[in-house]
Amino acid sequence: LCCVFSSTKGIAAICILQAVADGLLDLDEPLAIAWPEFANAGKDSIMLRHVLSHQSGVVGLHEPVSRELIYDWEGFCAALAKERPWWVPGEKHGYHARTFGFLLGELLQRKSGSSIGVWLRDRLSGPQNLDLHIGLENAELYRCAQMVPARIRAGQAAVPENAQAMMAAMKDKTTPTGAAFQNPSMGPSYMNSEEFRLAELPAMNGHVAARDLARLYAQLPDLLPVSLLEEATQVHSSGPDQVLLSHSQFGLGFMLHHELAPIGIRSGTFGHAGAGGSMAFYDPNAEVGFCYAMNQMQAGVVTGGESAMSCAEALYACI
């Protein structure tokens, strides 16, 4: 099992869209209907659609918090309920690096009584026999690959050019970028700790077998109504990202292929990428699901890393 970091967001989005299809969630209903405390500080109009398309403005906490809060679901959600958006919801978009999982997970919990990790197990990974997990059981810990931090080789830039502004801004927690990625700071090798692996963090700690995440994407046409999948893969946000500080393009929970922010290598592809270079997608034209997961991480990767893109190119050469 490899941690796929933000590629987890695509899995979480599929769970949420299933709940929409079941009538448990409504894309255009404010979160505050089910979560009254969330209505504070101008957040009363934030809808599920805003969160899925990274437009809510609730990308991080303004006040510094301790590392332990990331593992305190109720505490982190209470902090988000008190927060003010970093911009007027719906007017801009910016990557909800960590808050994506808490906002969606708390909404699903309040509306259905199920966490995203439990929904994944009961509705997808269990019935479909897929080796996908958000929040591991103790019995699965021994199966996890140790994640290896990025190595910088001789003659190689420390950070890709398109991510340099983002990496610089991460150091300042008073910016949307710093708040989104570094408040709280997690510490070195956090991703290899039992604490991280056992927690349920639907934006960032999915542990998967790559083949099975590819299978999940390949089965999407059978898992979601055609009309909902079409809506989820239409452009909802595109342009300058207030957090990534580069171009990004999102549907509802999915990154959408764009030449400046490629997911896969063909137009129409959608999915999600993660820190270090993981990438998973579905290409509806080729009718193929893909996932690349690794334990040797690459530095500063925003969408698919070099290895993931090379594997995708090899795949298309075969088909």
Side-chain angles (χ1 to χ4, degrees), residues 204-217:
M204 58 190 288
N205 81 332
H207 286 79
V208 313
R211 181 178 289 111
D212 285 349
L213 184 48
R215 287 174 59 202
L216 176 65
Y217 273 100

Side-chain angles (χ1 to χ4, degrees), residues 46-176:
I46 292 175
M47 300 179 291
L48 174 56
R49 186 184 301 274
H50 288 137
V51 179
L52 286 169
S53 57
H54 299 265
Q55 297 184 70
S56 83
V58 187
V59 297
L61 304 175
H62 283 79
E63 298 299 322
V65 296
S66 67
R67 183 189 66 84
E68 288 73 25
L69 190 65
I70 202 79
Y71 299 115
D72 176 359
W73 185 274
E74 292 184 0
F76 202 97
C77 288
L80 287 177
K82 296 175 182 177
E83 265 298 321
R84 65 187 187 276
W86 289 80
W87 59 82
V88 176
E91 290 192 359
K92 301 177 182 178
H93 79 280
Y95 190 51
H96 294 33
R98 296 173 176 176
T99 59
F100 187 86
F102 286 102
L103 295 171
L104 297 180
E106 184 67 9
L107 178 64
L108 183 63
Q109 181 73 47
R110 288 175 180 248
K111 295 285 275 189
S112 74
S114 174
S115 68
I116 289 179
V118 170
W119 185 286
L120 172 65
R121 183 193 66 204
D122 292 349
R123 292 287 302 271
L124 291 169
S125 59
Q128 303 293 330
N129 193 28
L130 301 172
D131 203 358
L132 310 173
H133 314 264
I134 299 176
L136 287 171
E137 301 291 336
N138 276 294
E140 304 288 350
L141 290 173
Y142 80 97
R143 302 177 56 215
C144 292
Q146 289 291 106
M147 306 305 290
V148 182
R151 297 183 303 225
I152 306 302
R153 297 180 176 86
Q156 181 184 34
V159 178
E161 185 176 349
N162 67 340
Q164 289 178 6
M166 178 190 73
M167 298 301 288
M170 273 191 196
K171 299 174 183 177
D172 184 355
K173 295 182 183 179
T174 66
T175 67

